[in-house]
Amino acid sequence: MSQPNARRPATLASLAAELGVSRTTVSNAYNRPDQLSATLRARVLEAARRLGYPGPDPVARSLRTRRAGAVGLLLTEALSYAFRDPVATGFLEGLALACEQAGQGLLLIPVSPSQPDVTTVHQAGVDGFVVYSVREDDPHFLAVLERPVPTVVCDQPVGIDGVDRVGIDDRAAMLGMARHLTGLGHRRIGVLCMRLGPDAQDGRADLLRQEQTSYPVQRARIGGLREGFAEAGVDWADVPVHERFEHSVDAGEAAAAELLATHPGITALVCTSDILALGALRHATARGLAVPDDLTITGFDGVPEAERAGLTTIRQPVREKGQVAGELLLERGERNRPRQVVLPTELVVGTTSKGPREARFFSGW
Amino acid sequence: MSQPNARRPATLASLAAELGVSRTTVSNAYNRPDQLSATLRARVLEAARRLGYPGPDPVARSLRTRRAGAVGLLLTEALSYAFRDPVATGFLEGLALACEQAGQGLLLIPVSPSQPDVTTVHQAGVDGFVVYSVREDDPHFLAVLERPVPTVVCDQPVGIDGVDRVGIDDRAAMLGMARHLTGLGHRRIGVLCMRLGPDAQDGRADLLRQEQTSYPVQRARIGGLREGFAEAGVDWADVPVHERFEHSVDAGEAAAAELLATHPGITALVCTSDILALGALRHATARGLAVPDDLTITGFDGVPEAERAGLTTIRQPVREKGQVAGELLLERGERNRPRQVVLPTELVVGTTSKGPREARFFSGW
DNA sequence: ATGAAAGCGCTAACAT
DNA sequence: ATGTTAGCGCTTTCAT
């Protein structure tokens, strides 16, 4: 379009012809400086500058060497969304770090929302893929699996044969959260979770939907909660679980409003992400509910904003996830690392959780 | 690497041979479905599945078609830093949007900090580059210019021949800020700016350094301030300008401390970014200075966090910058758009600016 | 230290 | 509707 040298006049071959040397020599001038005399090399490079030869074409080189020098990244959502989600940006930061260290490019695969156009996956010139938290039956993910390059998954899907994975123990983390809450005395709780299916379906999610979700992470988190509350004798069928397709503070606020309208008696609202929890917090404030006195609210992730808000949450090492994903893919240290990495999480008790009023009476004496 | 089909057994040619058809036919089955009968196409695709042929190799196709299907992005800093900077992520969001709409991948070029290893630029298989706010003499940028593909610059460098640019009028924006401050009565000010050179040089920047900076954006912003204060009779030689290499809230805090220690008499602290201003704000709080009563503090960018803090600042459309950069590169609408796009900015008067005490006496009667 | 030959895997004319 | 013929620009044995 408008580059000064927007033609592609010179090629390695034309340069070689011009100089009266072989293509090998020109190639060596760029790739194996020790294979030719310094003077000849200088002559080649000078001629290149003079003729506007930009150096070996990367695509042609990739074809020949069978290495693209880049890793592809497939994200759940529209690319533009990822940059707004603090968890995703944390992951990206770590992954970018790993790529930097390995001198590899990071190719973000564009996914037109809900458009099953998989060509962008097919057309990606990469040496491997990192897949970040996508649905099990995501068509783009299936397209990735067809490509004859290594793949590393972060979080979900789980249990894909021959594919490395980095994640956390979502179930155990939420079990810990459940025990924290039952320990405080909570028995009547509500749950706000992220999308459970490919379709936008906001509102209460029944048991079947909870179990059949195509998002194993949500299943594991809900499962951990369920187990923890079962230990305290709570029948999960009575626990309202509300899902929200969109992941945003606004969505969390709306979901909290909805859930509290139908279940005003709950004493704790457990959210499967901090973003949703921040929305719930906002709703509580708007409605005049004191947190944690009138209502306990908890999150998941440990994003900076949640920390600032004093949210009780599960902190997970997002950045490290990204870095490990990259290292796993780039085989740093020649694959003596396990193919399945589970990173630790930590329960952070903030100022948004406390025993319910009834329980406090008890503990009063 | 552990992909189930990690070999590369089948190629288009082998598939064609297997089926007893020509390579063209197989190619058409993928790229021009209308060029062959539905039954033959089905037969081809079935054989492909059976033989584990993953479809045409993207690199080979790119070599042939001379299109990589991706745009490269060169950033100022280490990639991993970009995801922490709200201005950069806003830009990325917009750029990603444009790429999504065009079905193009976005290749992030890794830049090992301060390492002049330009090979990653050379090895990038892209159809064009977007360059985000880099130093004029950045070696990576120079490498980009050598590549025979179109390039769009955001912000800086400026005035590169034949290269499109999207930016704002930094000088005019800061002139507006200066007039806002002089209008309030400020005459003794200090300035906190971002790095002015390739080397980490924290501390006071003299006139020469201000003028010779390799960052045109900083020069323009400082220039606008200078002009505005000249209108009010302020001699710029008396104005302390402190630069900071690192761009972070902490850096802003430290710089503010430094500047106020040597110039306790200033009534306003003008920062060339919100991040620095947030740091200055923190220092003021720590030191017990009331803002804006004891000290006026202003920023630049209009990031969400600044808005929350009520900062007086210049709001610039970061996201749109990214989108326009992408569109410019991808020539949406066949280049009837200007090659130099200047987006509007807006002075946002928050709660951190107010006239100095002396002036307030005046305006009292 | 330099060159000749072969081919990476594909698509685009141009036939038929 | 399908096949034939040429490369895209490069690296890499293997000779010299």
Side-chain angles (χ1 to χ4, degrees), chain A residues 11-88:
Chain A
T11 72
L12 189 144
S14 72
L15 222 190
E18 173 83 13
L19 279 162
V21 302
S22 80
R23 299 191 297 262
T24 310
T25 300
V26 180
S27 178
N28 282 338
Y30 284 96
N31 303 319
R32 299 220 203 322
D34 50 312
Q35 293 295 297
L36 70 176
S37 64
T39 51
L40 179 54
R41 182 170 130 92
R43 216 155 61 81
V44 171
L45 265 32
E46 196 283 316
R49 179 156 24 255
R50 188 162 41 77
L51 291 166
Y53 176 64
D57 179 292
V59 175
R61 164 188 279 161
S62 286
L63 176 59
R64 185 62 237 238
T65 61
R66 309 227 52 79
R67 290 189 295 99
V71 321
L73 174 62
L74 182 66
L75 291 156
T76 337
E77 286 267 359
L79 260 185
S80 48
Y81 167 80
F83 298 112
R84 256 177 285 147
D85 181 338
V87 179

Side-chain angles (χ1 to χ4, degrees), chain A residues 2 66 79 100 106 108 162 335, chain B residues 1-2 79 100 106 108 162:
Chain A
S2 67
R66 309 227 52 79
L79 260 185
E100 252 160 36
L106 181 55
L108 309 183
R335 75 169 67 188
Chain B
M1 333 241 164
S2 66
L79 258 186
E100 252 160 36
L106 181 55
L108 309 183

Side-chain angles (χ1 to χ4, degrees), chain A:
Chain A
M1 322 206 188
S2 67
Q3 201 70 353
N5 43 3
R7 3 140 240 182
R8 168 161 266 288
T11 72
L12 189 144
S14 72
L15 222 190
E18 173 83 13
L19 279 162
V21 302
S22 80
R23 299 191 297 262
T24 310
T25 300
V26 180
S27 178
N28 282 338
Y30 284 96
N31 303 319
R32 299 220 203 322
D34 50 312
Q35 293 295 297
L36 70 176
S37 64
T39 51
L40 179 54
R41 182 170 130 92
R43 216 155 61 81
V44 171
L45 265 32
E46 196 283 316
R49 179 156 24 255
R50 188 162 41 77
L51 291 166
Y53 176 64
D57 179 292
V59 175
R61 164 188 279 161
S62 286
L63 176 59
R64 185 62 237 238
T65 61
R66 309 227 52 79
R67 290 189 295 99
V71 321
L73 174 62
L74 182 66
L75 291 156
T76 337
E77 286 267 359
L79 260 185
S80 48
Y81 167 80
F83 298 112
R84 256 177 285 147
D85 181 338
V87 179
T89 51
F91 178 82
L92 273 163
E93 192 186 322
L95 179 56
L97 209 63
C99 289
E100 252 160 36
Q101 285 166 351
Q104 298 289 297
L106 181 55
L107 179 67
L108 309 183
I109 312 289
V111 172
S112 304
S114 75
Q115 193 190 329
D117 179 12
V118 167
T119 59
T120 49
V121 172
H122 289 316
Q123 102 182 340
V126 297
D127 299 322
F129 284 95
V130 171
V131 173
Y132 178 71
S133 202
V134 309
R135 194 156 41 92
E136 287 175 334
D137 49 356
D138 182 303
H140 297 271
F141 173 61
L142 300 176
V144 163
L145 287 184
E146 281 166 10
R147 293 277 308 261
V149 294
T151 298
V152 173
V153 163
C154 177
D155 287 346
Q156 43 193 5
V158 300
I160 305 297
D161 200 49
V163 170
D164 292 358
R165 172 172 179 268
V166 55
I168 56 174
D169 191 337
D170 289 286
R171 185 184 183 91
M174 266 306 206
L175 177 58
M177 178 64 86
R179 287 175 177 156
H180 167 63
L181 295 173
T182 59
L184 289 171
H186 292 281
R187 293 298 181 272
R188 283 169 298 134
I189 68 159
V191 178
L192 256 45
C193 69
M194 294 164 71
R195 69 175 67 158
L196 298 175
D199 46 312
Q201 188 171 315
D202 290 349
R204 177 138 188 192
D206 59 25
L207 282 174
L208 189 68
R209 186 161 174 91
Q210 292 171 35
E211 277 156 15
Q212 295 190 340
T213 174
S214 42
Y215 290 99
V217 166
Q218 295 300 306
R219 182 168 38 229
R221 292 185 188 171
I222 294 171
L225 275 181
R226 181 175 180 165
E227 182 180 342
F229 278 93
E231 290 173 355
V234 173
D235 182 0
W236 193 254
D238 297 337
V239 175
V241 175
H242 275 232
E243 96 179 72
R244 218 74 192 181
F245 187 76
E246 189 199 320
H247 188 231
S248 67
V249 176
D250 285 347
E253 186 175 11
E258 192 179 276
L259 197 151
L260 285 171
T262 52
H263 297 78
I266 65 169
T267 59
L269 189 48
V270 181
C271 307
T272 65
S273 87
D274 284 349
I275 296 288
L276 293 177
L278 288 168
L281 230 36
R282 202 156 75 185
H283 172 68
T285 305
R287 191 183 163 138
L289 285 172
V291 174
D293 293 291
D294 298 329
L295 181 67
T296 280
I297 293 180
T298 68
F300 200 109
D301 288 335
V303 305
E305 205 179 331
E307 201 155 326
R308 259 177 264 134
L311 192 66
T312 292
T313 189
I314 305 283
R315 185 184 297 148
Q316 63 162 324
V318 248
R319 210 184 101 144
E320 195 184 348
K321 266 185 179 175
Q323 193 160 6
V324 170
E327 289 171 358
L328 235 36
L329 189 64
L330 299 167
E331 292 289 357
R332 290 170 57 81
E334 292 310 313
R335 75 169 67 188
N336 38 17
R337 237 188 149 127
R339 310 331 269 109
Q340 305 285 329
V341 178
V342 177
L343 267 29
T345 61
E346 181 191 359
L347 172 65
V348 180
V349 177
T351 57
T352 63
S353 60
K354 186 179 182 181
R357 292 205 185 281
E358 316 95 84
R360 263 174 265 147
F361 273 106
F362 270 127
S363 63
W365 57 259

Side-chain angles (χ1 to χ4, degrees), chain B residues 12-179:
Chain B
L12 190 144
S14 72
L15 223 188
E18 172 83 13
L19 279 163
V21 301
S22 80
R23 297 189 301 252
T24 309
T25 300
V26 179
S27 177
N28 282 338
Y30 285 95
N31 303 318
R32 299 219 199 324
D34 50 313
Q35 293 296 298
L36 70 174
S37 64
T39 51
L40 179 54
R41 183 170 130 93
R43 215 154 62 83
V44 172
L45 264 34
E46 196 282 317
R49 178 154 27 254
R50 188 163 40 79
L51 291 165
Y53 176 63
D57 180 292
V59 174
R61 163 188 280 160
S62 286
L63 176 58
R64 187 60 239 237
T65 61
R66 310 227 50 80
R67 291 190 295 98
V71 322
L73 174 61
L74 182 67
L75 292 156
T76 337
E77 286 268 357
L79 258 186
S80 47
Y81 166 81
F83 298 111
R84 257 178 284 146
D85 181 338
V87 179
T89 52
F91 178 83
L92 274 164
E93 192 186 321
L95 179 56
L97 210 61
C99 289
E100 252 160 36
Q101 286 167 350
Q104 298 290 295
L106 181 55
L107 180 67
L108 309 183
I109 312 290
V111 172
S112 303
S114 75
Q115 193 191 329
D117 178 14
V118 167
T119 59
T120 50
V121 172
H122 290 315
Q123 102 182 336
V126 296
D127 300 321
F129 284 95
V130 171
V131 173
Y132 178 71
S133 201
V134 308
R135 193 156 39 93
E136 288 174 334
D137 50 353
D138 183 301
H140 296 271
F141 174 61
L142 299 177
V144 163
L145 287 184
E146 281 166 8
R147 293 278 307 261
V149 294
T151 298
V152 173
V153 163
C154 177
D155 288 344
Q156 43 192 8
V158 301
I160 305 296
D161 200 50
V163 170
D164 292 358
R165 172 171 180 268
V166 55
I168 56 175
D169 190 337
D170 288 286
R171 185 182 182 91
M174 266 309 206
L175 177 57
M177 178 65 86
R179 287 176 178 158

